[in-house]
Amino acid sequence: QTRVYGRDRVRFMESLVVGDIAELKPGQGTLTLLTNERGGIVDDLIVTNTLEDHLYVVSNAGCADKDFAILRVRAAELQATGGDVHLEVSDNALLALQGPSTARVLQAGLSDDLAKLSFMNSITTTVFGVPGCRVTRCGYTGEDGVEISVPAGRAVELAEQLLGIPEVWPAGLAARDSLRLEAGLCLYGNDIDETTTPAEASLLWTLGKRRRTAMDFPGAAIIMAQVKEKPKRKRVGLTSVGPPIREGLGAASPRSPPHVPASPGTVTSGCPSPSLGKNIAMGYVEAAHSRAGTTLAVEVRKKQHPAVVTKMPFVPTQYYMAK
């Protein structure tokens, strides 16, 4: 978690990511992509325009060191030319409370009205007696929920208070992984990385309209050329029966005549879906085979099994929008 201060904080952030940070209202955040000069995705970030006159940036934990190194170098470059930007790394812990009962459970420990807090918006408040918490209505499960940035010294206390509520249970990474896959959400390092572009990853919705025109983010020329010409491969959803499809497996078109090379692809995430009772996966296939309803073959334990290209999310999301 990083805080970005200074009058040039928006210009600073927009020199690194594809999103329209300037359009964010006070308290509003967005999922955006930190890109490199080749158009690859260095990380996916949540950037919030806080009510306290700074930007709040959440990186993936596994990418935190490389992300901050990039931010630090860019900040120094701006400062050298008179730019006003300052970075502060937060030592707060981050707790995710997710699921349909989130609002009712959390409201008992808040004076703020959660009914007024929409998806991707945040407030700083006291949570069950712990002051200085940032509550953001977001999460990576497809469900309604919040992420709570809590001072590290009181994180265990808050976690234990939440777990003392009968409806709240600890959830491991397997539950989180199946939920985010059902919601069609990418896992960094599996489904997106520095070799994949926003166009290939079907994440063009993260590119702000103004930013597309300005082409002032890293890798813009490559990314916008793919927008115009269409990428050669695309991230798709897959459903199947039989043995579960796992990441790293190859996918090929079973309809190719024997003398025509099969169209290869790669499965990047996969698991049995607890909600749907069938196997789901996502991966990259050649654009010609990316249309929903296309039947592919996936090799599992040296045997080919049919898989169908399926629109995502596999399970409808339940994000909360205040009325």
Side-chain angles (χ1 to χ4, degrees):
Q1 302 168 68
T2 307
R3 302 184 187 99
V4 185
Y5 296 90
R7 66 175 180 273
D8 296 314
R9 61 188 181 273
V10 170
R11 179 163 67 96
F12 162 78
M13 208 68 225
E14 288 193 348
S15 72
L16 297 169
V17 303
V18 303
D20 192 338
I21 307 305
E23 75 170 0
L24 294 176
K25 298 174 182 177
Q28 184 182 25
T30 186
L31 179 71
T32 190
L33 304 175
L34 178 65
T35 51
N36 60 32
E37 294 300 335
R38 300 178 302 279
I41 301 170
V42 177
D43 198 7
D44 54 322
L45 311 173
I46 293 180
V47 178
T48 300
N49 178 25
T50 71
L51 295 165
E52 294 84 15
D53 294 326
H54 67 269
L55 298 178
Y56 168 60
V57 182
V58 180
S59 304
N60 281 295
C63 298
D65 290 342
K66 71 170 183 178
D67 288 1
F68 188 70
I70 293 169
L71 266 62
R72 188 174 59 233
V73 168
R74 182 63 183 133
E77 291 172 349
L78 270 180
Q79 290 164 355
T81 58
D84 179 24
V85 63
H86 170 67
L87 305 178
E88 182 181 293
V89 178
S90 169
D91 64 355
N92 279 16
L94 202 59
L95 301 177
L97 183 66
Q98 301 283 296
S101 299
T102 295
R104 180 161 46 82
V105 165
L106 193 61
Q107 188 62 72
L110 292 183
S111 57
D112 298 88
D113 185 1
L114 277 175
K116 297 179 180 178
L117 190 68
S118 281
F119 178 61
M120 294 306 293
N121 282 261
S122 85
I123 53 173
T124 300
T125 186
T126 297
V127 182
F128 286 101
V130 180
C133 294
R134 176 168 296 283
V135 176
T136 306
R137 200 147 198 171
C138 69
Y140 223 59
T141 62
E143 296 291 327
D144 184 23
V146 297
E147 289 187 347
I148 307 170
S149 178
V150 52
R154 302 193 69 177
V156 172
E157 172 192 339
L158 180 56
E160 289 177 342
Q161 286 196 76
L162 290 169
L163 290 169
I165 300 168
E167 291 171 87
V168 180
W169 291 74
L173 289 177
R176 189 252 196 189
D177 197 46
S178 65
L179 284 163
R180 69 93 191 166
L181 185 51
E182 289 179 343
L185 301 172
C186 295
L187 177 63
Y188 192 85
N190 280 46
D191 310 302
I192 50 176
D193 57 30
E194 294 191 35
T195 70
T196 55
T197 69
E200 293 171 334
S202 301
L203 293 173
L204 289 177
W205 59 269
T206 63
L207 273 66
K209 184 177 180 181
R210 174 178 59 83
R211 307 301 310 283
R212 294 181 186 221
T213 302
M215 292 182 62
D216 55 354
F217 51 86
I222 293 171
I223 294 168
M224 294 311 298
Q226 288 186 345
V227 171
K228 185 178 179 180
E229 300 163 9
K230 308 301 180 187
K232 294 180 179 178
R233 63 171 187 157
K234 288 189 69 176
R235 179 176 63 94
V236 299
L238 300 168
T239 55
S240 70
V241 295
I245 308 172
R246 302 292 188 185
E247 64 267 18
L249 299 175
S253 168
R255 296 187 177 181
S256 299
H259 61 282
V260 177
S263 173
T266 304
V267 175
T268 53
S269 289
C271 70
S273 165
S275 301
L276 299 177
K278 57 184 175 183
N279 303 321
I280 59 174
M282 67 171 72
Y284 289 83
V285 299
E286 289 188 359
H289 302 284
S290 64
R291 186 182 296 274
T294 300
T295 301
L296 303 174
V298 178
E299 189 174 292
V300 184
R301 302 188 195 100
K302 298 184 179 181
K303 292 184 178 179
Q304 288 201 340
H305 298 271
V308 179
V309 176
T310 306
K311 289 184 178 180
M312 295 184 283
F314 299 101
V315 176
T317 55
Q318 304 294 329
Y319 304 131
Y320 175 79
M321 299 298 176
K323 296 178 180 177

